[in-house]
Amino acid sequence: MGEEDKKRFLKSNMGGTRGFGKAPALLIVDMTYGFTDSKFRLGHSESGYPAVEATSRLLERSRRKMIPIFFTIPFSESHPSGIGLWKGGERKTDEENTIVTQLKPRDNEVVLQKRRPSAFFGTSLVDMLIFHGIDSLIITGLTTSGCVRASVVDAFSYNYKVIVPEECVGDRSQISHKTSLMDIHMKYGDVIKMDDIMEWMDQNLL
């Protein structure tokens, strides 16, 4: 970030941190082979697999701390009205929409299918978060500039505190990735290191 941008954000009183809530949930957005692996049209292994590896560590800690865990995957659509107006949005295969093995959901963990970028749009996520009394979301996934950012903005719009572990998100475009992280941190949530999140878990969750 340039000095002029820093001055403008400082003038606007943006940035800083909101901190953690008391009842967090983990949301893993679209960590499927279609977005993780370069053999697929939308995949990028160089950023996808490191984010998966980091998320697997966070997922293990979250399971140990018994916080609610939610995954999202895209629909495999065959009809244009379901696919919508995505640019280049032809139907994905079942393999593309499979969550990577390192993050395979357990039977007691929710997998939500979604047709649009946000994990909230057209899903039952809010109902489920209310059921668990959740006040904050730790959001990981792919891609930073697309479905992760959209989910962050909607979570913020529902007045959830949002935490984004920097190592647990990725994008096929580094410019988009870095700009989105800056935008999230300045306006909607806290972008922090994964180790700091796990330390907070150890100190504050049973």
Side-chain angles (χ1 to χ4, degrees), residues 17 20 57-58 61 138 163-167 191-204:
T17 57
F20 293 86
R57 293 177 54 207
L58 184 61
R61 187 67 55 88
I138 302 167
I163 305 292
V164 176
E166 185 178 346
E167 302 91 338
V191 178
I192 60 180
K193 296 293 185 181
M194 181 186 65
D195 285 344
D196 292 335
I197 296 172
M198 293 198 295
E199 182 179 352
W200 178 87
M201 286 181 173
D202 288 341
Q203 292 177 354
N204 295 275

Side-chain angles (χ1 to χ4, degrees), residues 10-181:
L10 184 62
K11 177 184 176 183
S12 302
N13 209 24
M14 294 181 176
T17 57
R18 289 286 185 190
F20 293 86
K22 296 180 180 180
L26 176 64
L27 174 61
I28 300 175
V29 178
D30 292 2
M31 279 195 155
T32 59
Y33 285 106
F35 289 112
T36 302
D37 199 297
S38 293
K39 76 176 183 178
F40 297 107
R41 181 176 61 90
L42 298 176
H44 187 252
S45 297
E46 290 82 354
S47 59
Y49 281 112
V52 166
E53 179 60 31
T55 299
S56 69
R57 293 177 54 207
L58 184 61
L59 175 60
E60 180 183 0
R61 187 67 55 88
S62 300
R63 285 169 171 165
R64 196 185 314 161
K65 295 298 180 179
M66 300 181 67
I67 71 172
I69 296 166
F70 300 87
F71 296 81
T72 70
I73 60 173
F75 270 95
S76 296
E77 293 284 7
S78 59
H79 194 277
S81 64
I83 295 170
L85 298 177
W86 291 94
K87 292 189 175 181
E90 66 261 25
R91 181 182 185 273
K92 296 183 181 70
T93 66
D94 290 339
E95 183 183 4
E96 286 177 273
N97 286 346
T98 298
I99 295 170
V100 295
T101 302
Q102 297 96 310
L103 304 175
K104 185 177 179 180
R106 294 179 176 175
D107 291 341
N108 64 331
E109 295 166 353
V110 175
V111 180
L112 298 166
Q113 288 186 303
K114 63 183 183 63
R115 288 182 170 88
R116 300 296 180 262
S118 173
F120 291 85
F121 187 88
T123 74
S124 299
L125 180 56
V126 171
D127 293 351
M128 294 179 177
L129 296 177
I130 291 171
F131 175 85
H132 288 287
I134 298 303
D135 63 4
S136 52
L137 280 173
I138 302 167
I139 300 180
T140 76
L142 305 169
T143 63
T144 316
S145 62
C147 297
V148 171
R149 187 184 185 281
S151 299
V152 165
V153 172
D154 276 358
F156 163 85
S157 299
Y158 281 109
N159 283 325
Y160 291 105
K161 288 185 175 181
V162 177
I163 305 292
V164 176
E166 185 178 346
E167 302 91 338
C168 298
V169 293
D171 204 300
R172 66 188 69 88
S173 164
Q174 288 306 296
I175 292 175
S176 297
H177 172 71
K178 292 177 180 179
T179 300
S180 296
L181 286 180

